[in-house]
Amino acid sequence: MPIHEKSLIRPENLKVHDKLSIDGVDVSGHWSTFIETRVVPDYNEALEKEIAAFPGGDKIHRCFQCGSCTNACTINAIEPRFNPRYWIYLIRMGMEQELLRDKDIIWQCVSCHKCTNICPRSVEPEGVMKATALWLEEKGYTPESPSHVFDKEFSRQVFERGKIEDTEVLHSFLVKTKQPLLQDWLVAIMWGIAKRVPVKWGLKTALAQVFKPRTRSWKKARAAIEDYIYEEGEARKEKLSRSRAKQPHLEAAE
Amino acid sequence: MVDLTEKIMKYREVAYYSGCALEGSGNGYDVSTRAIAKSLGLHLKDVTNWNCCGAMEVKNIEPKLQTYLSSRVLSNAVNLDGADVVMAPCNGCYHNLKKAEYDLTHDPKSQETVDRLSAKAGHEPYKAGQAETIHALDWIKKTIGEEGLKERTKGKLAGLKVANYYGCMYVRPRHIFPEKDKGPGSESTNRPHFMDDLLAAAGAENVEFPLKTACCGGAHTLSDSDTSTKLVLNILQAAEASGADVIATECPTCHSGLEMHQVRAEKRFGRKTRVKMLYFTQLLGLALGISPRKLGIHTNISDSSELLREKRLA
Ligand code: SF4
Ligand code: SF4
C-alpha cells in the first residue's frame, strides 16, 4: 500500500540529524532523514461499513485508488487538502484518526460530479463525500454543516408541499444559520433589480411568499415520503449498530 | 424524408417541465423560453400538477426519494398529458429526470421503490422508457436547428462576443446521458457545443472559452459562499480574458450564481468584472426580434441594457 505513507512523512514524523557520521561517511542534514516508526493502534475496522450505510456511500468498496477523482476535483484545485482518493483510502483502511484531521472540509464538496464522471470503478465519490460528511455529524465529530442545514430546509419544503419557493429557502437558511438577512451583497442585488423591474413583478414575488407554490393533492405523496424516510432511517440505524457490534473492542473502549 | 419530418414533428409539441427555479429566481429563463416557442411556432404544454425534481438537495437526505420525485414528474407527463417527450430548460431538472431514467433502467431496486411510493401516493408509476427527456438546447436544435435559425434571425447577433457556459449538470456524469458522445451531430460531454452552434447560427461570435463546463459552486451558493465566489470569479475572469461581452447560460442555478457572486466578488473581495449574463433563450429571442422586456431581461440581476443598446439589440 504505497500511498498511505503520506501520513508518515509529515514534518513531525521526520528526523534529521544536523551532524551525523556513519562509518566515517558524513550524512549530516537531509542525508540522514529517517521516518519515525509509528504504531496505529486505533483502526476502526467498521469504518467503511459505517460510511457505506449513509446515503451515497454504498459503492466505496469498489475504489482501486487510481486518483482520477482527486485529479479532476473542483475543490481540490482551490484547497489541496481536499482529497477524495486519500479519504476513501483512509476509510477503507479504517484509519479514523487520520481522517479526522480533515474533518472540517469534507462537507465542502460542491457536487460538480467531475469525480463521478471520471471514476473508472463507478464509486461515485461525490456520494462518498456526502456520506462521510453525514457520518462525521452523526458521530458528533463536526457540527451540522451549513450545507446539511440547507439540504434539510430545502427538502422539508419539497416533502411538505411538493415545491419550493426561492425566497423562503433563502430566508429560512439565513435564519437557521444565524446570518444577517441584510448582507451587503444581497442588498446590492435587491437594489439593482428594484431599479429596473416593474411593480407587477415585485408583487408577484411578494404573493409567492404568502400563497406558497404547492403541488395539488400532495397529501398522499407526502405521507408516502414520510413513511419512506422513517423506514430508511430505521434500516440505517440497524446497519450501523450491526457494524458496531462486530467490533467488541471498540464498544468496550467507549 | 418522411421519417425526418416525423422526427421533427415529435419535438414541435413537447411537455414542458419548467420547475421551481423558473417560477422564482430564474423567471427570465421561463419567460424567454415561452416567448421564443411562440415566435418559432413550437408548442409547449406544461406538465400537469408537477412537483420539484429534488434539485441537488433531496438526494443528500434520501437518494431514492430524488428518483421518486423525478419519476412523478415523468409519470404525470406520460399519464396525464399523454406526452412522449419532456423538455426541461433547467440543468438541475434535466439532470434529475435523466438520472431517474438511468436508475430505473439499470437498478431494479429503484423501480421497486418508485412503484411502491407511486402506489401509496395514488398515481401511476413511471416506467423506464415511457418518455424521452430533452434539454431546451436539444429542443431548439431538433426542431428549428441552425439552418432554421439562420433564416429567421438573419445573423442579428453579429458583433456580439459570447462565452458559452454549460456548467456541470448538463454533461456530468456522462453515463446518465446515453445519447451524448455519439459522434457528429450529437452533443459532447467533454466539449459541449449545442449552445455555441445555435448562437453562431444567430450570428454571434463565440469566443474560445476554456471553462464551459467548470463548476460555479451552485450547490453551495449560500452555504459556502466564499468558495462559490472564488469559483464564479474564475469563470467571469476567464470569460473576460477571452474577450466575451456576455456569458450565455442555460441553467437558472448557474445563471443566478454567476450574477449574485459577481456582485459578491466586488463587495467582499473588491474584484470587479464587467461581463454580462444572459440566458441563451434571451439571446435567441433578441435575435428573433423580440423585445428585451418580453424576454424578461430586465429581471436579470446583471444589467445588460447598455450593452444591448450598443449592439443595436434593444
Ligand atoms: S476515481 Fe474512483 S477508483 Fe479512482 S481513486 Fe477515485 S474513487 Fe477510487
Ligand atoms: S463532486 Fe465533490 S468530490 Fe467530486 S470532483 Fe466535485 S467537488 Fe470534488
Side-chain angles (χ1 to χ4, degrees):
Chain A
M1 283 289 158
I3 308 168
H4 124 85
E5 313 309 335
K6 174 181 165 173
S7 64
L8 296 178
I9 53 172
R10 289 204 186 90
E12 64 266 30
N13 294 331
L14 296 184
K15 284 281 163 282
V16 179
H17 294 264
D18 288 341
K19 267 213 171 341
L20 185 69
S21 131
I22 296 176
D23 293 343
V25 181
D26 181 11
V27 288
S28 305
H30 68 265
W31 293 108
S32 65
T33 303
F34 288 98
I35 298 173
E36 274 217 295
T37 352
R38 198 187 60 143
V39 181
V40 183
D42 52 355
Y43 281 99
N44 173 1
E45 284 163 39
L47 188 55
E48 179 180 0
K49 286 233 158 57
E50 284 178 23
I51 284 173
F54 283 89
D58 54 331
K59 302 193 182 68
I60 186 171
H61 63 281
R62 300 179 53 92
C63 174
F64 64 10
Q65 290 291 299
C66 69
S68 302
C69 47
T70 297
N71 186 42
C73 178
T74 297
I75 297 299
N76 178 265
I78 55 176
E79 164 57 272
R81 277 171 63 218
F82 191 100
N83 191 337
R85 191 227 88 239
Y86 179 54
W87 294 334
I88 291 174
Y89 177 77
L90 295 178
I91 294 166
R92 300 204 57 209
M93 289 289 280
M95 297 178 71
E96 191 166 313
Q97 293 310 314
E98 283 301 323
L99 182 71
L100 290 183
R101 284 171 172 262
D102 294 332
K103 67 182 165 52
D104 295 323
I105 57 171
I106 296 178
W107 68 275
Q108 287 184 308
C109 159
V110 281
S111 298
C112 69
H113 292 300
K114 289 192 173 178
C115 50
T116 299
N117 190 49
I118 201 120
C119 175
R121 295 281 299 153
S122 307
V123 172
E124 301 184 3
E126 183 263 354
V128 177
M129 295 304 107
K130 297 291 164 192
T132 309
L134 287 176
W135 173 85
L136 286 167
E137 286 179 19
E138 162 110 1
K139 285 277 186 133
Y141 288 135
T142 53
E144 195 167 61
S145 73
S147 169
H148 192 198
V149 175
F150 191 85
D151 290 345
K152 286 206 312 204
E153 171 57 22
F154 190 100
S155 304
R156 178 190 66 78
Q157 293 190 27
V158 179
F159 299 157
E160 276 179 25
R161 300 197 304 267
K163 291 184 185 178
I164 58 121
E165 203 273 308
D166 282 354
T167 30
E168 190 193 357
V169 174
L170 173 71
H171 178 256
S172 314
F173 174 75
L174 292 178
V175 170
K176 287 197 172 149
T177 50
K178 301 195 174 63
Q179 294 183 62
L181 295 180
L182 297 177
Q183 308 211 20
D184 53 353
W185 59 288
L186 288 172
V187 173
I189 289 169
M190 309 278 184
W191 268 118
I193 306 190
K195 274 188 281 178
R196 274 176 288 127
V197 298
V199 185
K200 212 174 86 195
W201 195 79
L203 212 61
K204 214 178 113 199
T205 317
L207 278 177
Q209 282 288 295
V210 186
F211 304 104
K212 302 196 186 308
R214 55 179 72 238
T215 307
R216 293 189 309 278
S217 332
W218 184 249
K219 233 163 114 194
K220 279 162 112 188
R222 178 177 173 178
I225 288 170
E226 279 165 0
D227 285 354
Y228 182 80
I229 293 175
Y230 176 77
E231 289 161 21
E232 289 297 301
E234 290 300 304
R236 192 162 296 134
K237 269 189 222 151
E238 163 80 23
K239 263 192 225 164
L240 280 174
S241 69
R242 248 187 292 136
S243 63
R244 301 292 291 168
K246 282 201 198 110
Q247 286 189 292
H249 64 288
L250 278 185
E251 299 274 294
E254 269 169 12
Chain B
M1 211 47 211
V2 180
D3 208 1
L4 196 66
T5 2
E6 250 174 42
K7 229 175 136 188
I8 293 174
M9 286 312 285
K10 181 176 162 195
Y11 298 104
R12 292 191 76 95
E13 188 169 332
V14 293
Y16 177 47
Y17 177 44
S18 54
C20 307
L22 268 66
E23 285 200 333
S25 55
N27 199 244
Y29 197 12
D30 184 53
V31 171
S32 54
T33 302
R34 291 182 197 273
I36 62 171
K38 198 168 155 205
S39 157
L40 295 169
L42 303 172
H43 191 67
L44 295 177
K45 186 173 182 332
D46 287 82
V47 174
T48 301
N49 198 26
W50 52 264
N51 54 273
C52 169
C53 67
M56 291 196 273
E57 286 75 14
V58 172
K59 79 164 204 339
N60 298 336
I61 306 291
E62 272 314 333
K64 286 208 171 62
L65 279 183
Q66 182 132 326
T67 316
Y68 165 66
L69 289 167
S70 299
S71 83
R72 184 185 176 278
V73 174
L74 291 167
S75 165
N76 281 9
V78 170
N79 299 303
L80 304 183
D81 306 324
D84 49 8
V85 179
V86 180
M87 188 274 275
C90 166
N91 274 3
C93 299
Y94 168 71
H95 175 102
N96 282 347
L97 298 189
K98 284 283 189 193
K99 172 89 170 40
E101 184 74 38
Y102 179 86
D103 286 349
L104 294 177
T105 310
H106 294 91
D107 172 26
K109 269 211 189 120
S110 293
Q111 184 73 58
E112 213 174 90
T113 309
V114 162
D115 289 352
R116 195 157 58 86
L117 288 174
S118 303
K120 274 192 176 174
H123 60 84
E124 288 289 317
Y126 174 78
K127 302 279 182 192
Q130 285 181 319
E132 178 188 359
T133 299
I134 61 170
H135 190 271
L137 285 171
D138 301 307
W139 169 63
I140 300 291
K141 185 109 177 166
K142 282 176 197 282
T143 49
I144 308 299
E146 287 95 311
E147 286 310 311
L149 279 176
K150 256 183 216 153
E151 244 168 62
R152 287 172 169 84
T153 60
K154 313 224 160 39
K156 197 145 180 247
L157 297 184
L160 190 66
K161 293 200 174 111
V162 181
N164 292 276
Y165 178 62
Y166 297 81
C168 303
M169 298 295 168
Y170 175 70
V171 287
R172 284 191 296 267
R174 62 164 64 90
H175 65 258
I176 67 171
F177 307 109
E179 72 285 4
K180 291 184 178 158
D181 297 325
K182 287 282 178 289
S186 72
E187 181 60 302
S188 155
T189 56
N190 203 15
R191 305 182 114 238
H193 53 82
F194 276 16
M195 192 158 40
D196 292 71
D197 298 349
L198 297 177
L199 293 174
E205 185 187 325
N206 293 318
V207 300
E208 192 57 49
F209 180 49
L211 299 187
K212 281 178 201 278
T213 65
C215 177
C216 70
H220 286 170
T221 205
L222 293 171
S223 44
D224 190 6
S225 300
D226 282 349
T227 299
S228 298
T229 303
K230 261 187 229 165
L231 295 173
V232 166
L233 195 58
N234 241 343
I235 294 166
L236 300 176
Q237 287 174 334
E240 287 191 347
S242 46
D245 302 315
V246 54
I247 299 179
T249 58
E250 47 143 276
C251 168
T253 311
C254 300
H255 185 96
S256 43
L258 295 185
E259 290 187 322
M260 283 168 57
H261 288 282
Q262 182 174 44
V263 176
R264 196 173 183 277
E266 191 184 338
K267 283 270 158 200
R268 289 284 163 93
F269 303 121
R271 307 287 283 275
K272 190 171 166 61
T273 44
R274 264 175 300 270
V275 65
K276 306 296 174 197
M277 268 65 73
L278 287 169
Y279 289 105
F280 87 95
T281 43
Q282 292 177 325
L283 284 166
L284 287 184
L286 290 170
L288 291 164
I290 306 172
S291 80
R293 247 177 205 253
K294 289 209 168 119
L295 296 165
I297 290 179
H298 57 297
T299 63
N300 291 1
I301 295 171
S302 135
D303 183 1
S304 46
S305 44
E306 209 171 296
L307 172 73
L308 297 184
R309 268 197 300 278
E310 190 188 304
K311 302 283 173 189
R312 292 176 205 290
L313 288 165

